[in-house]
Amino acid sequence: MNLPKLLFTSLLFLTATVYAQTLTIDDCQEMARENYPALARFNVIENVKNFNLQNAGSAYFPQLSLNAKATWQSDVTKINLELPPNFPPLEIPVPDKDQYQVSAQLNQLIWDGGKIAAQKETIAAGAEVEKHRLKAEVYALHERVNNVFFGILLLNEQLEQQNILENELQRNYNRVQSYIENGVANEADLSAVKVEQLKAGQQRIQMESALDSYLKILSVLIGQQVDENTTFQKPPDDLPLPNPTINRPELQLFDAQQNLLNSQKTALNAKNMPVIGAFAQGGYGKPALNMFENKFKPYFVGGVSVSWNFSNLYTYRNEKKSIEQEQSAIDSQRETFLYNLNMQLPQQQNEIEKYRLTMQDDNEIIRLRTQIKEAADAKVENGAMTVSDLLKEINELEAAKQAKALHEIQYLMSIYNLKYTTN
């Protein structure tokens, strides 16, 4: 086998494998999550956090600065002494008006009152807020996947029923033709069947168009091509009901936001603490430390410094109240969020029970409708019923089957909706 043919065969095999795959709703949820473009932000958030933590920690490193200056001043310090009579003259040096200095200073932080530790805590807490906000955003994909997946299941069920209906209509079309030949029916009866066939064809077009749209949406969501040949596995009817305890990622987001505000409180308190450091300065200049010595000389100064900025106290009270107000707002958001979910839970639980009870009667309705339709078949054959009446019974049976398929999907979807609400 030559290379082009081998490549073509391989691609054909891979394509067939993709199209012939079987997907469950859990598979789709996982693939949608992995395919979500914003998921890459997790690494970005973590990397930015590490960079910022490293930058904050660098404040403990020795800080070196280099300074140089050359000045000319209009006047200099002079000392005029009035000496007693007969006292030998005393000449006091006068600094030059042009002065030069080059110095290097090394500062080392000893204690900052907890500012850097609070800054690191705030950076880490902010990163957690962003991560949990992204988790909540990704979690919202579950609802979208649920709607699309169960929409596909419903349309597939309806198309199966549509096939049965079209086969039934074709069988009746053939029967009416034989009835016409035997004088039992007329052309109007045949036209009535043909109209129903055309209507069924229109319904099929609408269903196939809707299914194609759902398949394309799902392909985008999961990042993998699916089509009408893909098998979508329906969840079992005996699914256990989810625990009504709410464990949504939004709750973790609220906790992370509160932690961020607590770290901001810590940073606010640290701002009002003194800062202690050590410094060393070495230089070369004219004059050096002795201002009356007009020549270039090296010099060195070292010591400990303490600084305390009391101006932060002016805004401390309002800043603290502002943080506390934000915390109250987050508590209110959490309560509102839980309030809305707790309102949904009874409705969703009632929906599950409603569809469960409804499904119990579907099979009996279909059984009875089948009996009625079979009896109508016999009556038409004996000339005791018109073809139009038979078509009504066929449509009623088809409606019962479609209702059963709808109720089954609605039941499963209501369970998954409850799962989404509670997580």
Side-chain angles (χ1 to χ4, degrees):
M1 182 180 293
N2 56 30
L3 184 59
K5 188 174 182 181
L6 178 62
L7 290 174
F8 176 77
T9 305
S10 301
L11 289 173
L12 188 63
F13 173 75
L14 289 174
T15 304
T17 301
V18 171
Y19 287 164
Q21 66 183 329
T22 298
L23 291 177
T24 66
I25 188 168
D26 294 328
D27 294 334
C28 293
Q29 297 283 15
E30 182 63 25
M31 286 190 286
R33 183 183 181 279
E34 293 176 355
N35 181 59
Y36 194 52
L39 208 62
R41 283 176 20 217
F42 276 114
N43 289 334
V44 175
I45 293 169
E46 186 65 21
N47 290 336
V48 170
K49 181 191 78 171
N50 292 333
F51 295 150
N52 290 335
L53 287 175
Q54 290 175 7
N55 290 340
S58 66
Y60 282 114
F61 297 160
Q63 309 296 314
L64 179 64
S65 61
L66 183 66
N67 300 290
K69 65 178 181 179
T71 63
W72 184 90
Q73 54 197 60
S74 60
D75 200 2
V76 293
T77 303
K78 298 175 184 178
I79 299 178
N80 296 319
L81 296 177
E82 293 185 5
L83 300 176
N86 302 323
F87 197 86
L90 181 63
E91 186 175 343
I92 300 176
V94 177
D96 293 339
K97 291 185 177 181
D98 59 316
Q99 299 182 3
Y100 308 91
Q101 189 179 67
V102 177
S103 64
Q105 180 160 327
L106 189 67
N107 294 311
Q108 176 61 56
L109 179 65
I110 297 176
W111 187 71
D112 68 343
K115 293 182 180 65
I116 295 175
Q119 183 183 4
K120 287 184 175 181
E121 183 182 343
T122 301
I123 291 170
E128 286 301 306
V129 168
E130 292 302 314
K131 286 181 181 179
H132 286 297
R133 182 174 285 116
L134 182 55
K135 287 180 181 179
E137 181 181 335
V138 173
Y139 184 76
L141 284 173
H142 288 224
E143 185 176 28
R144 296 169 65 181
V145 173
N146 285 350
N147 292 336
V148 175
F149 188 88
F150 284 110
I152 291 172
L153 286 182
L154 177 59
L155 286 167
N156 282 335
E157 292 277 356
Q158 290 177 333
L159 282 169
E160 286 183 16
Q161 297 300 325
Q162 196 69 14
N163 286 334
I164 297 173
L165 172 62
E166 290 175 2
N167 291 334
E168 176 69 16
L169 290 173
Q170 184 60 45
R171 187 175 68 86
N172 280 280
Y173 186 86
N174 296 335
R175 287 174 60 191
V176 172
Q177 280 185 322
S178 65
Y179 293 161
I180 292 174
E181 294 173 359
N182 297 326
V184 179
N186 53 42
E187 289 295 333
D189 294 326
L190 192 63
S191 297
V193 178
K194 188 63 179 178
V195 168
E196 294 300 322
Q197 286 181 310
L198 293 173
K199 288 181 180 179
Q202 291 176 334
Q203 290 175 348
R204 169 176 290 279
I205 292 172
Q206 293 175 357
M207 291 177 187
E208 289 177 344
S209 176
L211 178 61
D212 183 63
S213 297
Y214 275 107
L215 291 172
K216 288 177 179 177
I217 294 172
L218 185 63
S219 297
V220 173
L221 282 173
I222 68 176
Q224 186 168 317
Q225 186 65 35
V226 295
D227 69 355
E228 65 276 3
N229 296 317
T230 304
T231 301
F232 296 91
Q233 184 176 331
K234 186 169 69 172
D237 294 335
D238 56 349
L239 277 175
L241 295 183
N243 191 325
T245 302
I246 297 174
N247 187 30
R248 290 279 291 269
E250 289 88 345
L251 298 179
Q252 297 171 1
L253 172 59
F254 294 139
D255 291 338
Q257 290 173 330
Q258 289 285 14
N259 290 336
L260 175 59
L261 291 173
N262 287 332
S263 67
Q264 290 176 355
K265 268 187 179 180
T266 303
L268 184 63
N269 292 328
K271 273 179 27 176
N272 298 317
M273 302 301 290
V275 177
I276 302 174
F279 70 93
Q281 185 185 72
Y284 187 77
K286 188 194 82 166
L289 296 181
N290 185 353
M291 62 180 297
F292 295 108
E293 193 171 11
N294 288 317
K295 61 181 180 179
F296 285 95
K297 288 187 67 175
Y299 65 90
F300 177 81
V301 178
V304 176
S305 65
V306 178
S307 63
W308 199 337
N309 186 359
F310 292 101
S311 63
N312 292 325
L313 296 174
Y314 301 148
T315 59
Y316 172 77
R317 186 175 180 182
N318 287 337
E319 288 178 338
K320 184 178 179 181
K321 285 184 177 181
S322 176
I323 293 175
E324 290 172 349
Q325 288 298 312
E326 290 184 42
Q327 288 180 315
S328 298
I330 291 173
D331 287 337
S332 177
Q333 291 174 14
R334 178 199 293 272
E335 291 174 4
T336 304
F337 179 75
L338 289 173
Y339 175 80
N340 290 330
L341 291 187
N342 285 322
M343 284 183 60
Q344 292 180 23
L345 288 180
Q347 298 174 356
Q348 293 175 337
Q349 290 169 332
N350 288 339
E351 277 191 359
I352 292 172
E353 183 64 13
K354 176 184 70 175
Y355 292 129
R356 187 187 68 81
L357 295 174
T358 302
M359 288 191 303
Q360 292 178 356
D361 296 328
D362 282 332
N363 288 331
E364 181 64 13
I365 292 173
I366 292 173
R367 186 185 70 82
L368 295 173
R369 281 291 174 190
T370 302
Q371 288 181 351
I372 295 171
K373 181 258 177 188
E374 290 173 351
D377 280 339
K379 290 179 180 179
V380 170
E381 193 169 349
N382 296 326
M385 178 181 283
T386 65
V387 173
S388 297
D389 291 334
L390 172 61
L391 292 175
K392 291 179 183 177
E393 298 302 336
I394 293 174
N395 288 333
E396 290 290 346
L397 176 59
E398 173 61 20
K401 292 179 179 179
Q402 295 282 8
K404 178 187 175 183
L406 176 61
H407 294 154
E408 288 178 350
I409 300 301
Q410 286 175 326
Y411 174 73
L412 294 172
M413 189 172 181
S414 61
I415 293 178
Y416 273 84
N417 285 340
L418 182 60
K419 289 177 66 175
Y420 172 76
T421 301
T422 58
N423 191 31

